[in-house]
Amino acid sequence: MIELLPICGLPSHSAALRPAVRAFVREYCERVPLEARARSWMDFDADFSRALARRGWVGLTLPKQYGGAGLDAFSRFVVIEELLGSSAPVAAHWIADRQSGPLILRFGTEAQKRFFLPRICRAEAFFCIGMSEPQSGSDLASVRTRATRSASGWRLNGQKIWTTNAHRSHYMIALVRTSGGPEDRHKGLSQLIVDLAAPGVSVRQIRDLTGDAHFNEVFFDDVELGEDALIGGEGAGWEQVTAELAFERSGPERFYSSIALFDLWLAYLRARGGADTATRELAGRVLARLMALRAMSVSVTAMLARGDSPVVAAALVKDLGTELEQFIPHALAESLGREPGQPIPDGLAQALAYVTQICPTYSLRGGTREILRGVIARGLGLR
Amino acid sequence: MDSLLHDALDRLLAAASPPGTVREIEAGGTPQALWRQIVDSGLADAMVEEARGGGGARLDDAFSLFALCGRHALPLPLAHTLAVRSLCARTGVEAPNGPIAIAPHPVASADGALLCRHVPYGRVAQWVVVYQDSPAAGAAARLLPVGVENCRDTGIHGSLQAHLRWSAPPSSGVVLAAPLPWLDIAAAITAAQMAGAMEAVLALTLRYAAERSQFGRPIGSFQAIQQQLAVLAELSMATRIAAELGCREAAPGVPDPLLAAAAKATAAEAAGTVASIAHAVHAAIGITEEYDLQLFTRRLLEWRTDYGAAGFWQRRLGDALLASSASSTLEFMLPALFPGAAPGPASDDSQPGDPT
């Protein structure tokens, strides 16, 4: 059976962080209206990330000797919950903070830690994730991008795709094949840190249906990388990626992505007054589901803090959470459209359109719904 | 402490209330022998303070006991009785012997009769808490004896519900003067029972998916089945954690009203899907009388609407959210649903149960 999710609290040292983070975020929110924050953690603002870093809230789980705050997973939960709860623009440092930093800390050499971690904590080194390829989506083990030994280290050839913010990042941690062929599946894969400014790397943006361009194609054409580009063990890429995904799947970013839209809708209802029965129920329905998800997410955070790798529980939180994130725009559209004569404020209508259009990605990024349910089924002993 | 009580009740119910006994009582058999075993075990006073000779379980601890009543499809209102006996003891009232039900929404009719329709466990209870519904202030209530003359069958197959009717306002019974939020209490209990029943449904369905073979392999090895079972597990886990939060004590023996609302809303919203998936995976065998699944899915679907379906409780939550002036849902949710998590005095490390 899968792990039970016991209710647990955030310890006081982490809860004590909340007021300062909230005050910091509120200052930003006073300048940027809610409708401009509908992109949630997809919104990229390097200045915001650096200001956050100056407060010590980027890379805060990394040890002090590498520039971090030496705090635990609970503390990070509080900080990112405050950021996401107000839909602050965290995309610039998000990947480095969530997974690249912890990955380098866990698997990196001393030199790699000394080089990268302080830069991450100062929000000077932004990272992207090089997993998907044109022929490797859910079947991640089939990646074809290949690094071969060269005189000075590694030579990289291949292509990544759907790489969020590659065009604005400094480094990619790429899952590549370093030995064998696609038939070897999980064997022969390694992770490399790719300097995106290196000769032979080219990045092409992909515009999406909302008009944004955060996705990219990234091409590697005889890119020469040093010996120290390898992160972790040669051939250990699959195990490292799996551990990374547990961090990626259970956090508040899996249920707060549509919260700016929901808050805009609440503000509209409050200003109008006199919500009907169905509307009141819808508000409560979202709130009840948020409560359960948050409790589950804190529970998974406790497992991560203990050093466990709760792969199944994390998949469970992500699947339920993204379902809520996708439920919100569709339910709100239905609710707002129930009275066609009632004017909808522009900001609310724009946020609704944006979230409705982009929300299919919520259950794609970080593992599709179907893959996650397969992970859960494995946890249930079915496969 | 709570895990000792939990283990004791789990063992007792496994031995004293197996599916065969559940079926006999549902078919009209007397529950007296089963109730006697529960009373003899001392567990009926599990929530009475230790100073008064009880087990000292707080509502938070009692969650797992309520869930066990659902896990074993216990055909008696033990969970309700635990709560009522502890509230009686706290308010200095001598609780009567026998299983106690809680009647939702009593109605006084024009001819002076008192009618409580569809009372959960009305058929097997000896006493019932009847209160006037005024959730804001809580309500004074009375414990009325239930005799055959008060009890009318609902016509629902296998259900332990009854319509209860007193032709004149009864003068007998025990007065519970202290105003208590009976509906919240019953909702929290029901959500916990539903969490337990969902665990039973999940366990049965997983076992069946592993045992049943078609096309030469266990049906659980097919992705179409695996995807559904994953959803069943998700809803069961979400219900469990919400129901556990729903038993957070706001005052001795009384749940936090918004947490109880979220618990019942979550359980009720999940119940239909959970039952549907379980039956779909089981196919025809699942709807037979002799297979145990029906003991749990019938309960789940009945409990879904007892004391208010999802919409009723969602409305309470929605009203609280809409009435607040918080600048974000998070700002509302933390103090309202995770007391102790909001900015302000730091919470205490030493409270492992703190849901912040």
Side-chain angles (χ1 to χ4, degrees):
Chain A
M1 274 297 268
I2 48 181
E3 310 94 319
L4 268 183
L5 291 172
I7 289 182
C8 56
L10 294 170
S12 61
H13 68 268
S14 61
L17 273 168
R18 198 178 287 279
V21 183
R22 181 167 292 185
F24 176 88
V25 176
R26 185 165 290 162
E27 198 176 299
Y28 170 82
C29 293
E30 280 166 8
R31 285 185 286 118
V32 181
L34 190 49
E35 55 262 37
R37 284 181 260 144
R39 278 163 181 72
S40 183
W41 53 282
M42 292 298 286
D43 206 1
F44 191 104
D45 181 339
D47 290 339
F48 181 84
S49 293
R50 291 196 183 106
L52 205 61
R54 282 193 292 275
R55 299 295 300 265
W57 295 328
V58 174
L60 82 172
T61 61
L62 300 173
K64 288 184 173 168
Q65 66 195 96
Y66 302 116
L71 295 173
D72 60 10
F74 294 112
S75 304
R76 181 170 183 273
F77 183 95
V78 168
V79 171
I80 63 173
E81 181 174 49
E82 283 299 318
L83 291 167
L84 300 176
S86 295
S87 307
V90 294
H93 69 277
W94 186 252
I95 301 300
D97 178 76
R98 183 179 68 187
Q99 60 202 89
S100 312
L103 177 83
I104 293 167
L105 179 69
R106 185 159 165 199
F107 298 111
T109 63
E110 188 56 33
Q112 286 170 326
K113 291 187 224 179
R114 283 181 193 283
F115 181 82
F116 288 109
L117 299 185
R119 286 171 172 77
I120 286 174
C121 295
R122 291 195 299 265
E124 289 170 0
F126 301 145
F127 280 69
C128 58
I129 306 168
M131 291 195 192
S132 296
E133 295 183 3
Q135 302 306 321
S136 300
S138 290
D139 183 10
L140 191 57
S142 69
V143 293
R144 296 168 187 200
T145 296
R146 180 176 288 273
T148 49
R149 289 282 181 184
S150 67
S152 58
W154 300 93
R155 182 175 297 124
L156 186 63
N157 279 288
Q159 181 194 349
K160 293 290 173 183
I161 195 170
W162 316 123
T163 316
T164 298
N165 289 325
H167 62 303
R168 299 187 278 205
S169 297
H170 306 98
Y171 301 98
M172 169 193 284
I173 296 188
L175 180 70
V176 304
R177 187 156 284 290
T178 46
S179 67
E183 67 282 4
D184 291 307
R185 303 291 298 162
H186 304 163
K187 286 184 288 186
L189 299 176
S190 304
Q191 286 186 297
L192 295 183
I193 304 180
V194 182
D195 181 347
L196 294 172
V201 177
S202 51
V203 176
R204 200 170 79 201
Q205 287 178 248
I206 301 171
R207 194 158 292 282
D208 71 28
L209 78 177
T210 71
D212 288 352
H214 55 85
F215 279 148
N216 293 276
E217 292 175 284
V218 184
F219 301 91
F220 308 112
D221 186 12
D222 282 333
V223 179
E224 294 292 342
L225 299 171
E227 195 68 53
D228 59 357
L230 180 71
I231 174 85
E234 185 180 343
W238 186 258
E239 292 71 30
Q240 292 174 200
V241 160
T242 306
E244 198 178 336
L245 285 170
F247 283 94
E248 197 183 328
R249 285 178 176 161
S250 60
E253 72 270 30
R254 302 307 177 185
F255 45 93
Y256 285 127
S257 298
S258 301
I259 207 70
L261 169 62
F262 185 64
D263 282 339
L264 273 170
W265 179 69
L266 291 176
Y268 162 76
L269 294 175
R270 287 179 187 128
R272 264 189 67 186
D276 63 19
T277 302
T279 307
R280 292 154 61 205
E281 287 183 12
L282 176 55
R285 187 174 180 188
V286 170
L287 182 62
R289 288 169 75 172
L290 262 184
M291 178 197 78
L293 281 161
R294 180 182 188 271
M296 294 168 97
S297 182
V298 173
S299 186
V300 176
T301 301
M303 297 181 192
L304 290 170
R306 278 201 306 270
D308 298 348
S309 187
V311 175
V312 178
L316 203 136
V317 172
K318 180 176 181 292
D319 190 29
L320 275 176
T322 54
E323 196 171 289
L324 174 64
E325 292 180 336
Q326 293 173 338
F327 168 79
I328 289 172
H330 293 301
L332 265 48
E334 179 58 31
S335 173
L336 288 166
R338 218 182 285 128
E339 303 165 66
Q342 195 71 34
I344 303 172
D346 279 349
L348 175 57
Q350 288 157 11
L352 177 64
Y354 170 79
V355 178
T356 311
Q357 290 162 5
I358 202 69
C359 74
T361 62
Y362 297 172
S363 59
L364 302 175
R365 57 191 186 189
T368 66
R369 169 160 295 138
E370 292 70 22
I371 290 291
L372 293 175
R373 289 181 179 173
V375 169
I376 295 165
R378 185 172 291 118
L380 293 171
L382 292 165
R383 48 192 299 192
Chain B
M1 185 274 298
D2 53 324
S3 88
L4 282 179
L5 286 173
H6 172 276
D7 296 347
L9 183 62
D10 197 16
R11 278 194 306 273
L12 174 71
L13 295 185
S17 184
T21 303
V22 176
R23 285 185 176 82
E24 281 167 27
I25 292 171
E26 284 187 346
T30 170
Q32 276 173 9
L34 174 56
W35 182 250
R36 175 52 50 202
Q37 290 185 69
I38 292 170
V39 171
D40 289 349
S41 72
L43 285 164
D45 278 332
M47 286 180 70
V48 172
E49 294 154 279
E50 283 171 300
R52 297 174 197 269
R58 290 159 43 93
L59 190 59
D60 306 54
D61 306 321
F63 160 76
S64 74
L65 306 182
F66 301 162
L68 279 175
C69 295
R71 183 82 175 74
H72 291 278
L74 178 67
L76 280 167
L78 173 60
H80 306 68
T81 308
L82 288 172
V84 175
R85 290 185 70 82
S86 95
L87 291 165
C88 282
R90 284 175 199 286
T91 50
V93 174
E94 173 100 15
N97 292 321
I100 305 170
I102 299 177
H105 308 293
V107 179
S109 66
D111 62 359
L114 183 65
L115 179 64
C116 301
R117 290 179 58 79
H118 292 288
V119 176
Y121 301 99
R123 257 177 60 191
V124 288
Q126 288 176 29
W127 296 85
V128 60
V129 174
V130 177
Y131 61 96
Q132 293 306 318
D133 192 17
S134 62
R142 275 198 305 181
L143 260 171
L144 299 180
V146 181
V148 282
E149 67 280 11
N150 308 116
C151 203
R152 197 157 58 79
D153 192 74
T154 61
I156 298 170
H157 177 75
S159 173
L160 297 174
Q161 290 184 345
H163 300 313
L164 301 182
R165 186 175 188 280
W166 292 265
S167 55
S171 52
S172 60
V174 179
V175 175
L176 297 167
L180 289 165
W182 289 104
L183 195 60
D184 296 350
I185 294 165
I189 289 171
T190 305
Q193 292 191 146
M194 292 174 80
M198 285 183 198
E199 283 172 28
V201 166
L202 176 62
L204 277 173
T205 311
L206 286 174
R207 196 181 71 193
Y208 186 75
E211 288 172 0
R212 170 72 171 170
S213 270
Q214 286 290 276
F215 306 101
R217 53 191 175 118
I219 59 169
S221 69
F222 291 98
Q223 286 195 9
I225 302 292
Q226 291 175 357
Q227 297 272 312
Q228 295 193 67
L229 290 173
V231 174
L232 175 48
E234 287 172 4
L235 293 176
S236 166
M237 299 284 264
T239 298
R240 184 177 174 94
I241 207 160
E244 194 170 353
L245 285 171
C247 288
R248 275 298 149 102
E249 233 176 43
V254 172
D256 180 288
L258 286 181
L259 288 173
K264 185 72 203 310
T266 302
E269 194 181 354
T273 308
V274 164
S276 300
I277 292 175
H279 279 291
V281 171
H282 276 92
I285 192 75
I287 59 158
T288 62
E289 143 70 19
E290 71 166 317
Y291 189 81
D292 291 342
L293 181 66
Q294 53 99 0
L295 299 177
F296 301 100
T297 54
R298 274 194 295 108
R299 278 171 173 70
L300 269 183
L301 298 174
E302 191 171 288
W303 290 339
R304 172 172 64 179
T305 48
D306 284 352
Y307 309 107
F312 174 83
W313 295 101
Q314 287 163 353
R315 220 148 56 226
R316 286 202 174 177
L317 290 166
D319 288 348
L321 178 57
L322 286 166
S324 100
S325 57
S327 65
S328 70
T329 301
L330 178 66
E331 197 179 311
F332 170 81
M333 181 172 73
L334 292 190
L337 297 176
F338 296 89
S347 62
D348 182 353
D349 268 357
S350 67
Q351 292 179 332
D354 189 327
T356 61

